[in-house]
Amino acid sequence: MRTQVAIIGGGPSGLLLSQLLHKKGIDSVVLERKTRDYVLGRIRAGILEQGFVDLMHEAGVGERMDRESFVHDGTVVSYGDEEFGINFKDLTGTSVVVYGQTEVTRDLYDAREAMDGKIVFNTENVQIHEADSDAPYVTYTVDGSEHRIDCDFVAGCDGFHGVSRQTIPLTVRREYEKVYPFGWLGILSETPPVHDELIYAGSERGFALCSMRNDNLSRYYIQCSLSDSPEDWTDAAFWQELKRRIPAHYAENLVTGPSIEKSIAPLRSFVTEPMRWGRLFLCGDAAHIVPPTGAKGLNTAASDIHYLYNGLVAHYHDGDDEGLDRYSEKALARIWKAERFSWWFTSLMHRFPDQSDFDLKMQQADIAFLRDNRAAQTVMAENYVGLPY
Ligand code: RFL
Ligand code: PHB
């Protein structure tokens, strides 16, 4: 088989790239290790920046999102029983949108299928060959039979555990990592959200986040120990702990119910450089990870796709390679700022096991500064709604 762009990974990054390229007449094949249902079963991000929303429209898949998403003009930040609002709209003129990654991915799969897009599921042993030559190719097996795709470019959209990043030799690749000493225990429940905005809650007992998907679907998280497993936490224990970490008047109004999903995610900051090697381009979680506190994971994936897509269009339509040549530099410049914001917001809101009394006072002073200072709120809001592409 031959295609112009071989895309490894059928998560949001790979699907969005494939759909955008299709709209510009550029052919691609997506190779996905799992099934469509498996990918759609993963409950992940919930907040989209305006840049992501714009890309979905450009890809021609914004219709259901426009109908079913919720615009959020601000968020609540609390510490113990104290709380304040950050009004993104007032501070930056921009808002964010609540629309789950599951829905984004579903819309993209539906669009690719409606246009006969080539997605191969259940691929095993994907290998990228000769990425540093003019004739790269990808091999893989499905149901025991071997296949080969010759292509012009390879997009590595296969997440943190994929093969694409590992294809770049260690003599070229440099990785930066910070692992946090806690995780997030998340549940999804068919209950009305406790508030119409998200609540990022710091407390003596650790961090909690009240989020949502729609009027009757709530997503809540609590900071947990890395040694915990979801089975250690009954629903009742989760609700009780959540209530102890959010301001009392929210806790009193919290509607609880059975969880329909419960999982633990470890928190990590990670960046690999460069994001391009020859004709291989890394995008999204394949190249970088942020802790979820700033809601930047999916949104940084989208900015990578924006740069790569525009670079590929300029290459095929105008014979101009500047965008591709500068892909790594442009993507990384934005990524590092999102890494900084996610690290800062994570450090601000969580309890750390080795935190001294002084460290705690610094954290509380930082939160008080954010509460009282409009410039600090503007910095937070500009980062949260997303820095320009
Ligand atoms: P994905 O979504 O991981 O998709 C990669 C796809 O590649 C496939 N794959 C392979 N396919 C073929 N061959 C191989 N060798 C392959 N290896 C892997 C995988 O099956 C998968 O389908 O990466 P992508 O597309 O870059 O998208 C990035 C986002 O998924 C990610 O940034 C966010 O979901 C991060 N994230 C969150 N972000 C937020 O903004 N808010 C959140 O609440 C949030 N929660 C999360 C998260 C990430 C999590 N992970 C990675 C464990 C919760 C979790 C649990
Ligand atoms: C979510 O709704 O899953 C969510 C929202 C905001 C975050 C992280 C996760 O910062």
Side-chain angles (χ1 to χ4, degrees), residues 8-14 31-34 38-39 42-47 101 109 123 126 157-163 184 213 219 221 263-266 283-286 288-290 292 294-301:
I8 321 292
S13 300
L31 302 179
E32 168 56 48
R33 184 168 58 175
K34 304 285 190 183
Y38 183 96
V39 176
R42 294 192 283 226
I43 310 294
R44 291 187 177 174
I47 298 281
Q101 178 168 335
Y109 270 132
T123 55
V126 169
C157 303
D158 49 353
F160 185 63
H161 301 286
V163 293
W184 277 19
R213 291 294 176 271
R219 181 76 166 150
Y221 298 93
S263 53
I264 291 183
C283 306
D285 278 16
H288 42 76
I289 298 286
V290 287
K296 290 285 155 248
L298 185 56
N299 291 301
T300 46

Short mmCIF file of all heavy atoms in Angstrom, two decimals, residues 8-14 31-34 38-39 42-47 101 109 123 126 157-163 184 213 219 221 263-266 283-286 288-290 292 294-301, ligand 1:
data_model
loop_
_atom_site.label_atom_id
_atom_site.label_comp_id
_atom_site.label_asym_id
_atom_site.label_seq_id
_atom_site.Cartn_x
_atom_site.Cartn_y
_atom_site.Cartn_z
N ILE A 8 0.54 6.97 12.79
CA ILE A 8 0.55 5.89 13.79
C ILE A 8 -0.26 6.37 14.98
O ILE A 8 0.09 7.36 15.63
CB ILE A 8 1.98 5.55 14.29
CG1 ILE A 8 3.01 5.60 13.15
CG2 ILE A 8 2.00 4.22 15.02
CD1 ILE A 8 2.88 4.55 12.12
N GLY A 9 -1.36 5.66 15.30
CA GLY A 9 -2.19 6.03 16.45
C GLY A 9 -3.51 6.65 16.03
O GLY A 9 -3.53 7.66 15.31
N GLY A 10 -4.60 6.05 16.48
CA GLY A 10 -5.95 6.55 16.16
C GLY A 10 -6.62 7.17 17.38
O GLY A 10 -7.80 6.98 17.60
N GLY A 11 -5.84 7.91 18.17
CA GLY A 11 -6.41 8.75 19.23
C GLY A 11 -6.80 10.09 18.64
O GLY A 11 -6.81 10.25 17.41
N PRO A 12 -7.12 11.07 19.47
CA PRO A 12 -7.55 12.36 18.94
C PRO A 12 -6.51 13.02 18.01
O PRO A 12 -6.89 13.59 16.99
CB PRO A 12 -7.80 13.22 20.19
CG PRO A 12 -7.34 12.43 21.35
CD PRO A 12 -7.23 11.00 20.94
N SER A 13 -5.21 12.92 18.33
CA SER A 13 -4.19 13.57 17.47
C SER A 13 -4.21 12.98 16.07
O SER A 13 -4.29 13.72 15.07
CB SER A 13 -2.77 13.37 18.02
OG SER A 13 -2.64 13.90 19.29
N GLY A 14 -4.12 11.66 15.98
CA GLY A 14 -4.03 11.00 14.68
C GLY A 14 -5.29 11.20 13.85
O GLY A 14 -5.22 11.47 12.64
N LEU A 31 -3.03 3.90 11.57
CA LEU A 31 -2.84 2.55 12.15
C LEU A 31 -3.10 2.63 13.64
O LEU A 31 -2.42 3.38 14.36
CB LEU A 31 -1.40 2.08 11.91
CG LEU A 31 -0.93 2.01 10.46
CD1 LEU A 31 0.52 1.54 10.40
CD2 LEU A 31 -1.84 1.08 9.65
N GLU A 32 -4.07 1.87 14.14
CA GLU A 32 -4.43 1.92 15.57
C GLU A 32 -4.30 0.52 16.18
O GLU A 32 -4.81 -0.45 15.64
CB GLU A 32 -5.86 2.47 15.72
CG GLU A 32 -6.48 2.30 17.10
CD GLU A 32 -5.67 2.90 18.26
OE1 GLU A 32 -5.23 4.05 18.17
OE2 GLU A 32 -5.48 2.17 19.26
N ARG A 33 -3.62 0.49 17.33
CA ARG A 33 -3.33 -0.79 17.99
C ARG A 33 -4.57 -1.46 18.59
O ARG A 33 -4.66 -2.67 18.67
CB ARG A 33 -2.30 -0.53 19.09
CG ARG A 33 -1.83 -1.74 19.81
CD ARG A 33 -0.63 -1.43 20.64
NE ARG A 33 -0.91 -0.37 21.62
CZ ARG A 33 -0.04 0.02 22.54
NH1 ARG A 33 1.15 -0.50 22.59
NH2 ARG A 33 -0.36 0.97 23.39
N LYS A 34 -5.54 -0.62 19.00
CA LYS A 34 -6.73 -1.16 19.69
C LYS A 34 -7.93 -1.14 18.74
O LYS A 34 -7.79 -0.84 17.56
CB LYS A 34 -7.02 -0.31 20.92
CG LYS A 34 -5.87 -0.21 21.89
CD LYS A 34 -5.71 -1.49 22.66
CE LYS A 34 -4.71 -1.30 23.80
NZ LYS A 34 -4.46 -2.51 24.54
N TYR A 38 -12.53 0.37 22.16
CA TYR A 38 -11.55 0.50 23.24
C TYR A 38 -11.11 1.96 23.36
O TYR A 38 -11.07 2.53 24.46
CB TYR A 38 -10.34 -0.40 22.97
CG TYR A 38 -9.31 -0.36 24.07
CD1 TYR A 38 -9.31 -1.33 25.08
CD2 TYR A 38 -8.35 0.64 24.13
CE1 TYR A 38 -8.39 -1.28 26.11
CE2 TYR A 38 -7.42 0.70 25.16
CZ TYR A 38 -7.44 -0.27 26.14
OH TYR A 38 -6.53 -0.23 27.15
N VAL A 39 -10.81 2.58 22.22
CA VAL A 39 -10.36 3.98 22.25
C VAL A 39 -11.46 4.87 22.83
O VAL A 39 -11.21 5.77 23.63
CB VAL A 39 -9.94 4.45 20.83
CG1 VAL A 39 -9.57 5.93 20.83
CG2 VAL A 39 -8.76 3.63 20.31
N ARG A 42 -12.02 5.11 26.78
CA ARG A 42 -11.10 5.80 27.68
C ARG A 42 -11.68 7.17 28.07
O ARG A 42 -11.97 7.99 27.19
CB ARG A 42 -9.75 6.02 26.98
CG ARG A 42 -9.03 4.71 26.67
CD ARG A 42 -7.60 4.95 26.24
NE ARG A 42 -7.54 5.40 24.87
CZ ARG A 42 -6.68 4.91 23.96
NH1 ARG A 42 -5.83 3.97 24.29
NH2 ARG A 42 -6.68 5.38 22.74
N ILE A 43 -11.86 7.38 29.36
CA ILE A 43 -12.39 8.68 29.81
C ILE A 43 -11.19 9.57 30.12
O ILE A 43 -10.42 9.28 31.03
CB ILE A 43 -13.27 8.53 31.07
CG1 ILE A 43 -14.31 7.44 30.89
CG2 ILE A 43 -13.89 9.88 31.45
CD1 ILE A 43 -15.35 7.73 29.84
N ARG A 44 -11.05 10.63 29.38
CA ARG A 44 -9.90 11.51 29.59
C ARG A 44 -10.34 12.97 29.64
O ARG A 44 -11.21 13.31 30.41
CB ARG A 44 -8.83 11.25 28.53
CG ARG A 44 -8.19 9.89 28.72
CD ARG A 44 -7.04 9.71 27.78
NE ARG A 44 -6.33 8.46 27.95
CZ ARG A 44 -5.37 8.06 27.16
NH1 ARG A 44 -5.01 8.81 26.14
NH2 ARG A 44 -4.76 6.92 27.38
N ALA A 45 -9.73 13.79 28.81
CA ALA A 45 -9.88 15.24 28.95
C ALA A 45 -11.33 15.74 28.78
O ALA A 45 -12.14 15.09 28.12
CB ALA A 45 -8.98 15.93 27.93
N GLY A 46 -11.59 16.91 29.36
CA GLY A 46 -12.94 17.47 29.27
C GLY A 46 -13.01 18.91 28.80
O GLY A 46 -14.09 19.39 28.47
N ILE A 47 -11.87 19.59 28.77
CA ILE A 47 -11.88 21.03 28.47
C ILE A 47 -11.17 21.31 27.15
O ILE A 47 -10.03 20.90 26.96
CB ILE A 47 -11.14 21.82 29.59
CG1 ILE A 47 -11.85 21.63 30.94
CG2 ILE A 47 -10.97 23.28 29.25
CD1 ILE A 47 -13.07 22.48 31.12
N GLN A 101 -13.25 14.33 25.61
CA GLN A 101 -12.37 13.71 24.61
C GLN A 101 -13.07 12.55 23.92
O GLN A 101 -12.87 12.30 22.73
CB GLN A 101 -11.08 13.26 25.30
CG GLN A 101 -10.11 12.57 24.37
CD GLN A 101 -8.74 12.38 25.01
OE1 GLN A 101 -8.36 13.13 25.90
NE2 GLN A 101 -8.00 11.40 24.56
N TYR A 109 -14.03 9.81 14.42
CA TYR A 109 -14.20 8.47 13.83
C TYR A 109 -15.38 8.46 12.86
O TYR A 109 -15.28 7.93 11.75
CB TYR A 109 -14.44 7.42 14.91
CG TYR A 109 -13.17 6.78 15.45
CD1 TYR A 109 -12.95 6.65 16.82
CD2 TYR A 109 -12.19 6.29 14.59
CE1 TYR A 109 -11.79 6.07 17.31
CE2 TYR A 109 -11.03 5.71 15.07
CZ TYR A 109 -10.84 5.60 16.43
OH TYR A 109 -9.68 5.05 16.91
N THR A 123 -3.72 -3.23 14.90
CA THR A 123 -2.39 -3.41 14.30
C THR A 123 -1.40 -3.81 15.39
O THR A 123 -1.43 -3.29 16.50
CB THR A 123 -1.89 -2.10 13.64
OG1 THR A 123 -1.93 -1.07 14.62
CG2 THR A 123 -2.73 -1.72 12.45
N VAL A 126 3.93 -2.49 14.96
CA VAL A 126 4.16 -1.39 14.02
C VAL A 126 5.63 -0.97 14.10
O VAL A 126 6.16 -0.77 15.18
CB VAL A 126 3.24 -0.19 14.36
CG1 VAL A 126 3.65 1.05 13.57
CG2 VAL A 126 1.78 -0.52 14.10
N CYS A 157 1.58 9.65 16.25
CA CYS A 157 0.49 10.14 17.12
C CYS A 157 0.08 9.02 18.06
O CYS A 157 -1.09 8.86 18.38
CB CYS A 157 -0.71 10.56 16.27
SG CYS A 157 -0.35 11.82 15.04
N ASP A 158 1.06 8.21 18.51
CA ASP A 158 0.72 6.97 19.21
C ASP A 158 0.92 7.04 20.73
O ASP A 158 1.14 6.03 21.38
CB ASP A 158 1.51 5.78 18.61
CG ASP A 158 2.99 6.06 18.46
OD1 ASP A 158 3.40 7.21 18.70
OD2 ASP A 158 3.73 5.14 18.10
N GLY A 159 0.78 8.23 21.28
CA GLY A 159 0.71 8.37 22.73
C GLY A 159 2.04 8.10 23.42
O GLY A 159 3.07 7.82 22.78
N PHE A 160 2.00 8.17 24.73
CA PHE A 160 3.23 8.09 25.53
C PHE A 160 3.91 6.73 25.40
O PHE A 160 5.14 6.64 25.45
CB PHE A 160 2.87 8.38 26.99
CG PHE A 160 4.07 8.45 27.89
CD1 PHE A 160 5.03 9.43 27.71
CD2 PHE A 160 4.24 7.53 28.93
CE1 PHE A 160 6.15 9.51 28.53
CE2 PHE A 160 5.35 7.59 29.75
CZ PHE A 160 6.30 8.58 29.56
N HIS A 161 3.11 5.66 25.24
CA HIS A 161 3.69 4.31 25.21
C HIS A 161 3.88 3.78 23.78
O HIS A 161 4.10 2.59 23.59
CB HIS A 161 2.82 3.34 26.02
CG HIS A 161 2.67 3.75 27.44
ND1 HIS A 161 3.70 3.63 28.35
CD2 HIS A 161 1.65 4.34 28.11
CE1 HIS A 161 3.31 4.10 29.54
NE2 HIS A 161 2.07 4.55 29.40
N GLY A 162 3.80 4.66 22.80
CA GLY A 162 3.88 4.22 21.40
C GLY A 162 5.31 3.93 20.94
O GLY A 162 6.27 4.03 21.71
N VAL A 163 5.43 3.58 19.66
CA VAL A 163 6.74 3.21 19.09
C VAL A 163 7.44 4.39 18.42
O VAL A 163 8.66 4.34 18.21
CB VAL A 163 6.61 2.08 18.03
CG1 VAL A 163 6.16 0.80 18.66
CG2 VAL A 163 5.70 2.49 16.89
N TRP A 184 -4.20 11.00 40.46
CA TRP A 184 -5.59 11.47 40.53
C TRP A 184 -6.50 10.25 40.42
O TRP A 184 -6.39 9.48 39.44
CB TRP A 184 -5.92 12.39 39.37
CG TRP A 184 -5.52 13.82 39.53
CD1 TRP A 184 -4.61 14.36 40.39
CD2 TRP A 184 -6.06 14.92 38.75
NE1 TRP A 184 -4.53 15.71 40.19
CE2 TRP A 184 -5.40 16.09 39.22
CE3 TRP A 184 -7.00 15.02 37.74
CZ2 TRP A 184 -5.68 17.35 38.68
CZ3 TRP A 184 -7.26 16.27 37.20
CH2 TRP A 184 -6.62 17.43 37.67
N ARG A 213 -19.42 16.65 32.33
CA ARG A 213 -19.55 16.45 30.89
C ARG A 213 -20.85 17.07 30.39
O ARG A 213 -20.89 17.64 29.33
CB ARG A 213 -19.51 14.95 30.55
CG ARG A 213 -18.15 14.31 30.79
CD ARG A 213 -17.07 14.85 29.84
NE ARG A 213 -15.75 14.28 30.14
CZ ARG A 213 -14.88 14.79 31.00
NH1 ARG A 213 -15.17 15.92 31.64
NH2 ARG A 213 -13.73 14.22 31.23
N ARG A 219 -17.83 14.64 36.50
CA ARG A 219 -16.50 14.05 36.57
C ARG A 219 -15.80 14.68 37.78
O ARG A 219 -15.68 15.91 37.85
CB ARG A 219 -15.73 14.38 35.28
CG ARG A 219 -14.33 13.80 35.21
CD ARG A 219 -14.33 12.33 34.92
NE ARG A 219 -13.02 11.81 34.54
CZ ARG A 219 -12.64 10.56 34.79
NH1 ARG A 219 -13.44 9.72 35.41
NH2 ARG A 219 -11.45 10.14 34.41
N TYR A 221 -12.44 14.38 40.64
CA TYR A 221 -11.12 13.80 40.90
C TYR A 221 -10.69 14.15 42.32
O TYR A 221 -11.00 15.25 42.81
CB TYR A 221 -10.06 14.39 39.97
CG TYR A 221 -10.26 14.16 38.49
CD1 TYR A 221 -10.94 15.10 37.71
CD2 TYR A 221 -9.75 13.03 37.86
CE1 TYR A 221 -11.10 14.91 36.34
CE2 TYR A 221 -9.90 12.84 36.48
CZ TYR A 221 -10.57 13.78 35.73
OH TYR A 221 -10.73 13.60 34.38
N SER A 263 -10.94 5.40 37.86
CA SER A 263 -9.57 5.05 37.45
C SER A 263 -8.57 5.98 38.11
O SER A 263 -8.93 7.07 38.57
CB SER A 263 -9.44 5.13 35.93
OG SER A 263 -9.87 6.39 35.48
N ILE A 264 -7.33 5.55 38.13
CA ILE A 264 -6.26 6.37 38.71
C ILE A 264 -5.26 6.72 37.61
O ILE A 264 -4.83 5.84 36.86
CB ILE A 264 -5.56 5.64 39.86
CG1 ILE A 264 -6.53 5.53 41.05
CG2 ILE A 264 -4.28 6.37 40.28
CD1 ILE A 264 -5.95 4.88 42.28
N ALA A 265 -4.90 7.99 37.51
CA ALA A 265 -3.87 8.42 36.56
C ALA A 265 -2.68 8.97 37.34
O ALA A 265 -2.86 9.82 38.21
CB ALA A 265 -4.43 9.50 35.64
N PRO A 266 -1.47 8.48 37.05
CA PRO A 266 -0.29 9.08 37.66
C PRO A 266 -0.04 10.45 37.05
O PRO A 266 -0.50 10.72 35.93
CB PRO A 266 0.83 8.10 37.30
CG PRO A 266 0.35 7.40 36.08
CD PRO A 266 -1.14 7.43 36.08
N CYS A 283 3.62 13.94 17.52
CA CYS A 283 2.52 14.84 17.90
C CYS A 283 1.86 14.35 19.19
O CYS A 283 1.71 13.14 19.39
CB CYS A 283 1.42 14.86 16.84
SG CYS A 283 1.96 15.24 15.20
N GLY A 284 1.40 15.27 20.00
CA GLY A 284 0.59 14.94 21.18
C GLY A 284 1.37 14.17 22.23
O GLY A 284 2.58 14.40 22.43
N ASP A 285 0.68 13.23 22.89
CA ASP A 285 1.28 12.51 24.01
C ASP A 285 2.52 11.70 23.60
O ASP A 285 3.30 11.31 24.46
CB ASP A 285 0.25 11.53 24.63
CG ASP A 285 -0.70 12.22 25.60
OD1 ASP A 285 -0.78 13.46 25.57
OD2 ASP A 285 -1.37 11.52 26.38
N ALA A 286 2.71 11.44 22.33
CA ALA A 286 3.93 10.74 21.90
C ALA A 286 5.16 11.59 22.20
O ALA A 286 6.25 11.07 22.39
CB ALA A 286 3.85 10.45 20.39
N HIS A 288 4.95 14.62 24.43
CA HIS A 288 4.93 15.36 25.70
C HIS A 288 3.71 14.99 26.54
O HIS A 288 2.65 14.66 26.01
CB HIS A 288 4.93 16.88 25.45
CG HIS A 288 4.03 17.29 24.32
ND1 HIS A 288 2.67 17.35 24.44
CD2 HIS A 288 4.30 17.61 23.03
CE1 HIS A 288 2.14 17.71 23.29
NE2 HIS A 288 3.10 17.87 22.41
N ILE A 289 3.90 15.08 27.85
CA ILE A 289 2.83 14.79 28.81
C ILE A 289 2.80 15.95 29.81
O ILE A 289 3.85 16.47 30.18
CB ILE A 289 3.14 13.48 29.60
CG1 ILE A 289 3.22 12.28 28.65
CG2 ILE A 289 2.14 13.25 30.72
CD1 ILE A 289 1.90 11.79 28.12
N VAL A 290 1.60 16.35 30.20
CA VAL A 290 1.47 17.33 31.29
C VAL A 290 0.61 16.71 32.38
O VAL A 290 -0.25 15.88 32.09
CB VAL A 290 0.80 18.64 30.81
CG1 VAL A 290 1.75 19.46 29.97
CG2 VAL A 290 -0.51 18.37 30.08
N PRO A 292 -2.67 16.74 34.58
CA PRO A 292 -3.95 17.23 34.05
C PRO A 292 -4.48 18.51 34.69
O PRO A 292 -5.49 19.05 34.24
CB PRO A 292 -4.92 16.06 34.33
CG PRO A 292 -4.28 15.27 35.40
CD PRO A 292 -2.81 15.45 35.27
N GLY A 294 -3.93 21.64 34.51
CA GLY A 294 -4.24 22.79 33.67
C GLY A 294 -5.11 22.47 32.49
O GLY A 294 -5.39 23.34 31.67
N ALA A 295 -5.55 21.21 32.36
CA ALA A 295 -6.37 20.74 31.23
C ALA A 295 -5.67 20.98 29.88
O ALA A 295 -6.28 21.40 28.91
CB ALA A 295 -7.75 21.41 31.24
N LYS A 296 -4.37 20.74 29.85
CA LYS A 296 -3.59 21.07 28.65
C LYS A 296 -3.24 19.87 27.76
O LYS A 296 -2.77 20.04 26.64
CB LYS A 296 -2.27 21.77 29.05
CG LYS A 296 -2.48 23.16 29.60
CD LYS A 296 -2.81 24.16 28.51
CE LYS A 296 -3.57 25.35 29.02
NZ LYS A 296 -4.95 25.46 28.57
N GLY A 297 -3.45 18.63 28.24
CA GLY A 297 -3.00 17.45 27.50
C GLY A 297 -3.52 17.42 26.07
O GLY A 297 -2.76 17.46 25.10
N LEU A 298 -4.80 17.40 25.94
CA LEU A 298 -5.43 17.31 24.63
C LEU A 298 -5.21 18.60 23.83
O LEU A 298 -5.06 18.58 22.60
CB LEU A 298 -6.93 17.06 24.84
CG LEU A 298 -7.80 16.82 23.64
CD1 LEU A 298 -7.28 15.66 22.82
CD2 LEU A 298 -9.23 16.54 24.09
N ASN A 299 -5.16 19.71 24.53
CA ASN A 299 -5.03 21.00 23.85
C ASN A 299 -3.62 21.21 23.27
O ASN A 299 -3.48 21.85 22.22
CB ASN A 299 -5.41 22.13 24.81
CG ASN A 299 -6.90 22.11 25.10
OD1 ASN A 299 -7.71 22.23 24.19
ND2 ASN A 299 -7.28 21.95 26.36
N THR A 300 -2.60 20.67 23.93
CA THR A 300 -1.25 20.76 23.34
C THR A 300 -1.14 19.81 22.15
O THR A 300 -0.44 20.10 21.18
CB THR A 300 -0.14 20.44 24.37
OG1 THR A 300 -0.51 19.28 25.08
CG2 THR A 300 0.08 21.59 25.33
N ALA A 301 -1.84 18.69 22.21
CA ALA A 301 -1.88 17.79 21.05
C ALA A 301 -2.45 18.55 19.85
O ALA A 301 -1.94 18.46 18.73
CB ALA A 301 -2.73 16.55 21.36
P1 RFL B 1 -3.63 9.05 22.87
O1 RFL B 1 -4.99 9.51 23.22
O2 RFL B 1 -2.85 8.30 23.88
O3 RFL B 1 -3.76 8.19 21.54
C1 RFL B 1 -2.69 7.43 21.05
C2 RFL B 1 -3.27 6.27 20.28
O4 RFL B 1 -2.20 5.51 19.73
C3 RFL B 1 -2.48 4.13 19.92
N1 RFL B 1 -1.19 3.43 19.90
C4 RFL B 1 -0.73 2.73 18.85
N2 RFL B 1 -1.25 2.50 17.65
C5 RFL B 1 -0.53 1.74 16.78
N3 RFL B 1 0.68 1.22 17.10
C6 RFL B 1 1.25 1.42 18.31
N4 RFL B 1 2.43 0.91 18.60
C7 RFL B 1 0.53 2.22 19.24
N5 RFL B 1 0.79 2.63 20.50
C8 RFL B 1 -0.27 3.35 20.88
C9 RFL B 1 -3.22 4.06 21.22
O5 RFL B 1 -4.02 2.88 21.34
C10 RFL B 1 -4.06 5.32 21.18
O6 RFL B 1 -5.34 5.10 20.61
O7 RFL B 1 -2.69 10.29 22.40
P2 RFL B 1 -3.09 11.61 21.56
O8 RFL B 1 -3.93 11.27 20.38
O9 RFL B 1 -1.82 12.35 21.39
O10 RFL B 1 -4.06 12.43 22.55
C11 RFL B 1 -3.59 13.00 23.72
C12 RFL B 1 -4.66 12.96 24.80
O11 RFL B 1 -5.26 11.67 24.84
C13 RFL B 1 -4.06 13.27 26.17
O12 RFL B 1 -3.19 14.40 26.09
C14 RFL B 1 -5.08 13.58 27.24
O13 RFL B 1 -6.11 12.68 27.32
C15 RFL B 1 -4.31 13.63 28.57
N6 RFL B 1 -5.18 13.39 29.68
C16 RFL B 1 -5.96 14.40 30.07
N7 RFL B 1 -5.84 15.60 29.47
C17 RFL B 1 -6.60 16.63 29.85
O14 RFL B 1 -6.50 17.71 29.27
N8 RFL B 1 -7.53 16.45 30.88
C18 RFL B 1 -7.70 15.23 31.50
O15 RFL B 1 -8.52 15.08 32.38
C19 RFL B 1 -6.89 14.15 31.12
N9 RFL B 1 -7.00 12.94 31.72
C20 RFL B 1 -5.23 12.12 30.29
C21 RFL B 1 -6.18 11.91 31.31
C22 RFL B 1 -4.38 11.05 29.92
C23 RFL B 1 -4.44 9.80 30.54
N10 RFL B 1 -3.49 8.79 30.13
C24 RFL B 1 -2.63 9.00 28.99
C25 RFL B 1 -3.21 7.63 30.81
C26 RFL B 1 -6.28 10.67 31.92
C27 RFL B 1 -5.42 9.60 31.54
C28 RFL B 1 -5.63 8.28 32.23
#
